[in-house]
């Protein structure tokens, strides 16, 4: 787990870390690919929520270059299949995510990211 | 044209019947209306007459509603057999087509009573005017006709065999259309047969009803902010939804093996690919970048009896120099350090409930639903308690009690009725907390362990003291 759909909605939330706190940078990752159910309506519904550039860049880092740099206006089947694969079928199982701004490291164990903040990072 | 159907409900969770029915009707766009007859529109009785447009709709409901035992084509009812037969004769256009050549089975049965065989035969013979010519087939009939006598609740009363026979409130008659197939899911999701569960896992029947309250369906995205061992996730995912779960304590979701326990259980039910992700965080300090993501939020918040809710922070915050020390320590950790575990403090239930509604307003899409359990002290509960946690744009659509005697829990369903965008909640305590109504679920943990002794009038003043003594005990 830690699929890219989740990575795309997680931002660093430490106290006073409000700018340049997204996307979190993957480090030392172990990636697995697992098949997921394709649902075109779900993908289309989620599209407006995505930060497209962050998604494309992160996918590239993990070796998937199937997505276009600009979000297309026409959502053809091939595009949706690629989006499905990137969002739902790439799992980061181990590693960490680092905030580009404050440097907080969010570790990932057995596919579950620990997004808890330290005492000095909360209000 | 609206047609009346006879619904036979499971005799459990009466208050949940109609909310569940109307949720599934909403999900499938099925208009329904209750009977005008007070003898067949009481949701506390196992038999209700409900109008739908056609049989197909009845089949959809029976496939999905956990509390439906069976649905019948409705032929008649009465407080006596004379009344029933009169209505049944009027329904002849409905059953005439089965007279000629349809194999059938005729059942006479009762709720809260056992009809002696001799009278069963008499009753059957009283239907002779229908003149069915087809073969009687008890094993594989083409149609099943059933006559139900509904008796008053008489549990706990000793009586002679067959006493009060024929003294029923109402008798109903109809043709079986479909047995409720969703009830089998209760066994499928039985917690005892689950490969991973905890001591606060929700029983399967209730978690299935909750899943129905969320309108779970393929393509929907549903969030559980107090994921725990995932009891809510499995039935919701079974109905096709994608699940995102979080918990402040990752150990609950992980269990002791390498593969997270929630995933192992999800695999058992064939829904692992629908568990989109699990994440450890405190909802009051959450990393979600944007709102309006989820179709529903479903959760059983910890209320402090077996497990108390926690949030990040300390009851007494550290002086600045100590905070600085922990910061330095975190930055210059040694490689052999144990993973850092931040301190937590209790999260009082009435604050949690209010925050949950605010968070849901931010995270839900317009029209989305928040479904959760709220424990409450039975004697002290007032309707207004629920309203203390509501905010603009969020509306209660169902509120059903599961009664445990001196306390109970309410399954609350709230809909986001606004399209307006709201900022994420601050999770600060509400200003002037004192002036507002104090709901019965406030300090539920303390009240539970005091055996709910303090009556309402007493508890208002010494509230502060109670809290103090409570926190002393924990230190």
């Amino acid at each position: 787990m830690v699929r890219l759909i989740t990575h795309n909605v997680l931002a660093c939330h430490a106290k006073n870390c409000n700018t340049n706190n997204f996307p979190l940078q993957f480090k030392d990752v172990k990636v697995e690919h697992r098949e997921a159910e394709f649902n075109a309506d779900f993908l289309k519904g989620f599209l407006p929520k995505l930060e497209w550039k962050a998604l494309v860049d992160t996918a590239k880092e993990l070796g998937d270059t199937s997505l276009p740099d600009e979000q297309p206006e026409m959502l053809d089947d091939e595009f949706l299949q690629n989006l499905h694969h990137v969002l739902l079928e790439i799992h980061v199982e181990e590693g960490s995510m680092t905030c580009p701004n404050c440097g907080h490291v969010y570790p990932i164990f057995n596919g579950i990211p620990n997004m808890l903040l330290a005492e000095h990072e909360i209000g | 044209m609206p047609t009346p159907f006879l619904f036979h409900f499971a005799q459990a969770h009466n208050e949940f019947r109609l909310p569940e029915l109307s949720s599934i009707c909403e999900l499938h766009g099925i208009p329904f209306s209750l009977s005008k007859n007070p003898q067949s529109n009481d949701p506390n009785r196992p038999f209700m007459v409900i109008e739908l447009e056609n049989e197909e709709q009845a089949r959809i409901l029976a496939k999905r509603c956990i509390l439906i035992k069976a649905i019948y084509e409705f032929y008649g009812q009465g407080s006596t057999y004379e009344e029933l037969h009169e209505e049944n004769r009027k329904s002849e256009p409905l059953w005439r087509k089965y007279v000629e050549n349809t194999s059938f089975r005729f059942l006479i049965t009762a709720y809260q009573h056992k009809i002696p065989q001799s009278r069963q035969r008499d009753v059957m013979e009283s239907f002779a005017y229908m003149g069915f010519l087809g073969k009687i087939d008890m094993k594989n009939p083409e149609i099943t006709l059933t006559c139900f006598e509904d008796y008053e609740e008489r549990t706990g009363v000793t009586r002679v065999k067959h006493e009060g026979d024929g003294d029923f409130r109402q008798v109903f008659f109809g043709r079986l259309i479909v047995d409720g197939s969703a009830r089998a899911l209760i066994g499928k999701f039985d917690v005892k047969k689950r490969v991973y569960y905890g001591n606060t896992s929700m029983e399967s029947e209730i978690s299935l009803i909750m899943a129905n309250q969320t309108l779970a369906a393929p393509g929907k995205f549903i969030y559980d902010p107090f994921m725990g061992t995932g009891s809510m996730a499995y039935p919701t995912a079974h109905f096709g939804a994608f699940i995102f779960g979080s918990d402040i304590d990752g150990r609950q979701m992980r269990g002791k093996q390498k593969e997270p326990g929630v995933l192992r259980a999800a695999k058992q039910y064939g829904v692992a690919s629908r568990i989109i992700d699990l994440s450890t965080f405190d909802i009051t300090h959450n990393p979600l970048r944007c709102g309006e993501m989820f179709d529903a939020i479903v959760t059983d918040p910890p209320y402090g009896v077996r497990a108390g809710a926690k949030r990040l922070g300390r009851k007494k915050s550290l002086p600045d120099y100590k905070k600085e020390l922990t910061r330095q320590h975190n930055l210059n950790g040694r490689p052999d350090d144990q993973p850092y575990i931040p301190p937590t403090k209790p999260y009082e239930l009435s604050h949690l409930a209010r925050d949950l509604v605010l968070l849901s307003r931010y995270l839900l899409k317009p029209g989305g639903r928040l479904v959760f359990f709220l424990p409450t002290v039975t004697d002290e509960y007032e309707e207004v308690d629920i309203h203390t946690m509501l905010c603009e744009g969020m509306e209660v659509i169902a509120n059903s009690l599961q009664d445990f005697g001196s306390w109970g829990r309410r399954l609350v369903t709230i809909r986001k009725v606004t399209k307006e965008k709201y900022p994420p909640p601050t999770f600060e305590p509400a200003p002037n907390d004192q002036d507002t109504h104090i709901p019965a679920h406030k300090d539920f943990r303390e009240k539970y362990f005091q055996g709910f002794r303090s009556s309402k009038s007493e508890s208002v003043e010494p509230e502060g003291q109670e809290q103090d003594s409570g926190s002393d005990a924990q230190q």
Side-chain angles (χ1 to χ4, degrees), chain B residues 24-300:
Chain B
I24 301 309
C25 282
E26 182 180 328
L27 178 63
H28 292 280
I30 298 173
F32 76 98
S33 55
L34 300 185
S35 159
K36 304 273 182 304
N37 184 341
Q39 294 298 335
S40 52
N41 66 8
D42 177 357
N44 286 312
R45 304 307 308 177
F47 303 103
M48 289 181 80
V49 176
I50 295 171
E51 285 186 348
L52 304 172
E53 284 169 338
N54 53 53
E55 252 185 63
E56 187 44 38
Q57 295 177 340
R59 289 178 196 281
I60 292 171
L61 294 177
K63 212 170 150 185
R64 181 71 191 260
C65 291
I66 307 303
L67 294 176
I68 291 179
K69 265 188 139 164
I71 302 178
Y72 297 78
E73 183 175 40
F74 176 65
Y75 291 160
Q77 70 178 85
S79 55
T80 63
Y81 272 97
E82 285 69 44
E83 285 177 31
L84 173 74
H85 288 313
E86 197 185 321
E87 282 200 6
N88 188 36
R89 284 196 168 94
K90 285 186 201 143
S91 299
E92 191 181 336
L94 296 174
W95 46 259
R96 192 187 295 138
K97 57 179 174 284
Y98 304 115
V99 169
E100 277 304 318
N101 194 17
T102 306
S103 67
F104 67 98
R105 167 169 69 165
F106 208 110
L107 298 175
I108 317 277
T109 175
Y111 170 69
Q112 293 281 343
H113 183 70
K114 192 170 186 304
I115 306 172
Q117 286 238 320
S118 58
R119 197 168 67 81
Q120 283 192 30
R121 207 163 36 242
D122 294 347
V123 169
M124 223 175 289
E125 276 162 15
S126 74
F127 283 92
Y129 62 89
M130 291 176 80
F132 271 43
L133 301 167
K135 196 168 74 138
I136 295 174
D137 182 343
M138 296 309 282
K139 284 216 175 97
N140 289 305
E142 286 165 74
I143 62 165
T144 299
L145 299 164
T146 309
C147 187
F148 292 105
E149 295 179 1
D150 179 15
Y151 289 76
E152 292 294 349
E153 238 76 13
R154 292 183 299 192
T155 41
V157 183
T158 2
R159 58 196 149 93
V160 243
K161 201 178 175 189
H162 303 319
E163 184 189 294
D165 182 44
D167 198 9
F168 45 80
R169 296 174 72 246
Q170 193 79 179
V171 55
F172 298 90
F173 182 57
R175 174 182 64 87
L176 178 67
I177 292 168
V178 60
D179 280 310
S181 52
R183 287 197 68 70
L185 294 174
I186 298 171
K188 175 174 176 178
F189 286 97
D190 187 355
V191 175
K192 281 181 274 180
K193 293 185 230 150
R194 194 173 292 167
V195 296
Y196 179 70
Y197 59 88
N199 62 351
T200 58
S201 292
M202 176 71 70
E203 67 199 268
S204 66
E205 184 169 12
I206 296 279
S207 64
L208 282 156
I209 294 171
M210 288 178 84
N212 275 344
Q213 285 299 89
T214 67
L215 311 183
K220 295 214 177 168
F221 201 15
I222 295 182
Y223 173 41
D224 183 346
F226 300 96
M227 185 75 169
T229 55
S231 320
M232 247 41 75
Y234 314 122
T236 321
H238 171 81
F239 294 126
F242 289 147
I243 310 296
F244 178 72
S246 75
D247 202 299
I248 190 170
D249 186 352
R251 293 172 302 182
Q252 291 280 322
M253 300 184 286
R254 294 175 192 274
K256 286 182 177 158
Q257 298 175 25
K258 179 169 162 41
E259 185 177 23
V262 167
L263 274 192
R264 286 190 284 124
K267 269 190 191 162
Q268 177 187 2
Y269 300 124
V271 298
S273 76
R274 295 184 191 151
I275 308 291
I276 293 297
D277 256 306
L278 305 170
S279 179
T280 308
F281 60 78
D282 170 10
I283 59 160
T284 71
H285 293 96
N286 73 71
L288 299 172
R289 171 177 67 75
C290 56
E292 300 193 8
M293 277 197 289
F294 300 107
D295 296 282
I297 291 177
V298 61
T299 195
D300 178 28

Side-chain angles (χ1 to χ4, degrees), chain A residues 1-13 22 30 34-37 39 41-42 45-46 49-51 88 91 94 109-120 122-123, chain B residues 218-221 242 244 248 253-254 257-258 260 263 272-282 285-293 312-314 318 323 326-327 330 340 342-343:
Chain A
M1 299 204 287
V2 188
R3 311 193 202 200
L4 296 197
I5 185 173
T6 309
H7 175 262
N8 201 265
V9 298
L10 295 178
C12 181
H13 55 120
F22 172 86
K30 190 178 135 232
R34 277 183 241 151
E35 225 171 280
E37 282 164 45
N39 188 313
D41 291 335
F42 174 77
F46 210 82
K49 291 284 146 203
L50 293 171
E51 281 288 342
L88 298 173
H91 294 247
E94 305 289 336
F109 294 116
N110 297 333
I112 301 180
N114 182 347
M115 305 302 292
L116 290 174
L117 297 176
E119 199 167 5
H120 60 89
I122 60 176
Chain B
K220 295 214 177 168
F221 201 15
F242 289 147
F244 178 72
I248 190 170
M253 300 184 286
R254 294 175 192 274
Q257 298 175 25
K258 179 169 162 41
L263 274 192
S273 76
R274 295 184 191 151
I275 308 291
I276 293 297
D277 256 306
L278 305 170
S279 179
T280 308
F281 60 78
D282 170 10
H285 293 96
N286 73 71
L288 299 172
R289 171 177 67 75
C290 56
E292 300 193 8
M293 277 197 289
L312 289 182
R314 262 180 222 268
L318 288 181
K323 273 190 191 165
T326 49
R327 196 177 71 89
N330 267 315
Y340 170 73

